[in-house]
Amino acid sequence: MKTFPMFLRMNGRTVVIAGGGEQAAQKCRLILKTEATIRLLAPALDPELAALHRAGRVEWDASPITEQSFSGAALAFICTECAETDAALHALARAAGVLVNVVDRPDFCEAITPSIVDRDPVVVAIGTEGTAPVLARQIKTRLEETLEPRLGDLAALAGRLRDLAATRLSPRARRDLWAWVFGGEVRRTHARGEEAHAALKIKQAIETGEIPTECTAPVALVGAGPGSSDLITLRGVKRLQEADIIFYDRLIDPEILELARRDAERVYVGKAPGCHSWPQDRINSVLVSAARQGKRVVRLKCGDPGVFARGAEEADALREAGIDYEIVPGVTSASAAAAALGGFLTERGRTDSLVLTTARRREGDEGANWLSHIRQGSNVAVYMGVQAAPEIQATLEDAGLADAVAVRIVSNAQRASQQIVTCRADTLADTITRENVANPAIIFLTQDRPATHARLTLPMRTAPDLSVVA
């Protein structure tokens, strides 16, 4: 972003408004909501501004404007409604070292005025860096409809009770308290106009330490989806915002971590192929340890935690330690890859069997356990298959299926670096090398024609089935 949003404390500061007409009046109305001193620079004032000056609410300097006129100001608005004058005054203000906003001149603005939703002391600012003010106003309208008029009063009440809560409750209990206050019945009670009743509920919770909370497990195994930050579920985002500590994988999009609470601890536990700096037993151990310290823990995994993500091993470790956990599903990579291809994992009358499998074999397995599922009407999605491409191709060739199987490969599904490659099974390994296909990738194997020299007897299906092969 080109501009950094920040709220400035305005008491004891001066804001200069250069101009005496309607544009100056608009900026004056805005700054009057703060505790700043307003200094108007103009040879004459319109009736509204003149009335404010007579009432002592603004200062007025009618003398010729110089660099000194802006001295000591925290912010200056230039709005004389004359382009040449605005440009000249902008130069004077910058020479005085003041941040400047020139109305309707984004190229002359060091400071940009956002659209504001005011529920004092709750203030929401919406900015588009001067590119789309109409869009900012549309967003403002929606927020005005969402945030109840009395929300600021509830926030002010919480502010008055913060010190009491700090003396009575632990940091974790305080977070639970305010989550309960702003997320449930207390907020609804206050919004109905029952301010005294809402205040009593908060005080009782602080005094007794008995805070009604959503019954969530201390550890959440959260699926982040295939990569893009907008494909994580709403529940996943909620758990991120509740977390004290987040253990995340190598392929997690950094934008997903931005959805977490700002002061949540983030711990990278990624494992790259051939370089397991964080072995699974160590990950299991830190999850248990963090939960025992009373922290809310999120184990953030790519895709779905229950699909080739070793979530079961972590769940077993937590269960053995007597720690409750929650599984938050995510969009698995096969679903994202199918969507990237513009198709579906199953289609009525065409594909009635879905197999999710991995190119990695279990110990003791001599052959590919997915091979028997290759048939017309089946869709086999192979996870972690890029390095095993020569083996997959050889397996299909040995079974006499190489000329009958179509291959679709999606690498980095739903990411900016997404890559789609198609080929026949007998060219799989060469295609992956030539196209420089990299993990994470899903390889779809579909028999789209009868095998010419099949050397594998496949069972006949009498009814549609859904198979998941590990």
Side-chain angles (χ1 to χ4, degrees):
M1 53 187 175
K2 296 179 181 178
T3 59
F4 183 74
M6 178 178 288
F7 290 96
L8 298 176
R9 193 179 297 278
M10 298 304 292
N11 58 310
R13 296 178 182 269
T14 297
V15 174
V16 169
I17 300 176
E22 173 56 26
Q23 288 184 346
Q26 291 172 5
K27 298 304 179 185
C28 197
R29 292 175 209 134
L30 179 65
I31 302 303
L32 280 171
K33 295 182 178 183
T34 75
E35 298 179 2
T37 298
I38 299 174
R39 183 191 307 154
L40 297 174
L41 306 179
L45 301 179
D46 77 358
E48 179 182 355
L49 294 175
L52 289 172
H53 177 247
R54 287 194 299 271
R57 299 187 64 188
V58 300
E59 299 176 356
W60 178 27
D61 183 351
S63 61
I65 300 174
T66 65
E67 179 182 326
Q68 187 63 29
S69 303
F70 296 96
S71 178
L75 179 65
F77 290 99
I78 309 296
C79 41
T80 66
E81 304 182 38
C82 171
E84 292 78 7
T85 304
D86 282 351
L89 295 184
H90 170 266
L92 291 175
R94 291 300 297 137
V98 178
L99 289 175
V100 186
N101 175 283
V102 180
V103 174
D104 294 334
R105 291 291 301 273
D107 52 327
F108 278 8
C109 292
E110 287 77 37
I112 296 176
T113 306
S115 290
I116 293 175
V117 179
D118 186 3
R119 301 288 189 273
D120 187 29
V122 177
V123 179
V124 181
I126 306 112
T128 62
E129 297 185 344
T131 61
V134 171
L135 174 60
R137 288 195 293 271
Q138 290 176 350
I139 296 171
K140 167 183 165 65
T141 298
R142 292 196 179 186
L143 288 174
E144 292 281 9
E145 296 168 352
T146 300
L147 303 179
E148 64 271 23
R150 292 188 175 92
L151 181 60
D153 294 335
L154 178 59
L157 171 62
R160 294 192 295 272
L161 295 175
R162 284 179 66 86
D163 289 344
L164 178 61
T167 61
R168 300 273 184 159
L169 303 173
S170 67
R172 166 77 173 273
R174 291 200 297 274
R175 284 196 297 274
D176 289 343
L177 169 72
W178 301 125
W180 167 66
V181 167
F182 293 111
E185 182 58 31
V186 172
R187 181 170 173 177
R188 290 190 290 271
T189 298
H190 193 278
R192 290 194 300 266
E194 302 174 27
E195 292 92 343
H197 189 197
L200 181 60
K201 284 186 173 183
I202 300 172
K203 292 175 182 178
Q204 287 176 339
I206 294 174
E207 291 292 337
T208 64
E210 296 176 1
I211 303 165
T213 58
E214 182 183 353
C215 294
T216 58
V219 179
L221 308 178
V222 176
S228 180
S229 61
D230 58 357
L231 286 177
I232 188 172
T233 66
L234 291 175
R235 184 179 297 180
V237 172
K238 185 175 182 181
R239 295 298 176 261
L240 284 175
Q241 294 173 347
E242 295 168 346
D244 298 309
I245 186 168
I246 301 164
F247 298 96
Y248 66 98
D249 279 345
R250 176 173 61 94
L251 298 174
I252 295 296
D253 186 338
E255 290 187 9
I256 292 179
L257 293 174
E258 290 297 316
L259 299 173
R261 195 163 55 88
R262 185 179 303 172
D263 55 347
E265 184 179 356
R266 296 158 171 80
V267 180
Y268 171 73
V269 294
K271 296 185 286 185
C275 183
H276 291 194
S277 56
W278 272 81
Q280 189 61 49
D281 57 353
R282 183 183 176 194
I283 296 174
N284 297 346
S285 176
V286 295
L287 292 178
V288 170
S289 176
R292 283 177 170 166
Q293 293 171 29
K295 297 179 180 179
R296 289 197 181 276
V297 181
V298 162
R299 173 68 172 102
L300 190 62
K301 293 173 167 290
C302 285
D304 183 282
V307 181
F308 306 123
R310 306 189 75 169
E313 297 174 50
E314 293 164 358
D316 288 344
L318 293 165
R319 190 183 304 111
E320 291 174 6
I323 296 170
D324 289 337
Y325 62 88
E326 173 191 15
I327 301 171
V328 180
V331 177
T332 191
S333 297
S335 296
L341 290 167
F344 303 90
L345 292 173
T346 63
E347 296 181 52
R348 183 178 181 183
R350 183 177 178 182
T351 306
D352 56 15
S353 179
L354 170 65
V355 178
L356 306 182
T357 186
T358 172
R360 297 180 182 177
R361 296 180 184 176
R362 294 177 299 180
E363 290 187 20
D365 284 353
E366 296 183 357
N369 54 14
W370 48 263
L371 185 59
S372 63
H373 294 274
I374 299 290
R375 65 191 77 171
Q376 289 181 298
S378 290
N379 193 6
V380 176
V382 182
Y383 288 63
M384 297 170 281
V386 170
Q387 273 73 37
E391 180 182 342
I392 294 171
Q393 179 176 330
T395 298
L396 292 169
E397 289 174 339
D398 290 345
L401 293 170
D403 62 343
V405 173
V407 179
R408 296 168 298 163
I409 309 166
V410 182
S411 171
N412 289 299
Q414 305 296 330
R415 295 172 182 252
S417 56
Q418 176 179 289
Q419 180 185 17
I420 297 175
V421 177
T422 61
C423 64
R424 305 299 302 180
D426 52 6
T427 63
L428 173 59
D430 287 342
T431 299
I432 283 180
T433 300
R434 183 180 65 253
E435 300 294 336
N436 197 27
V437 177
N439 276 320
I442 296 291
I443 300 175
F444 290 108
L445 306 175
T446 307
Q447 184 177 347
D448 60 354
R449 65 183 70 167
T452 305
H453 303 291
R455 291 185 289 277
L456 178 68
T457 301
L458 300 177
M460 296 294 295
R461 287 175 301 169
T462 58
D465 64 274
L466 176 67
S467 305
V468 178
V469 180

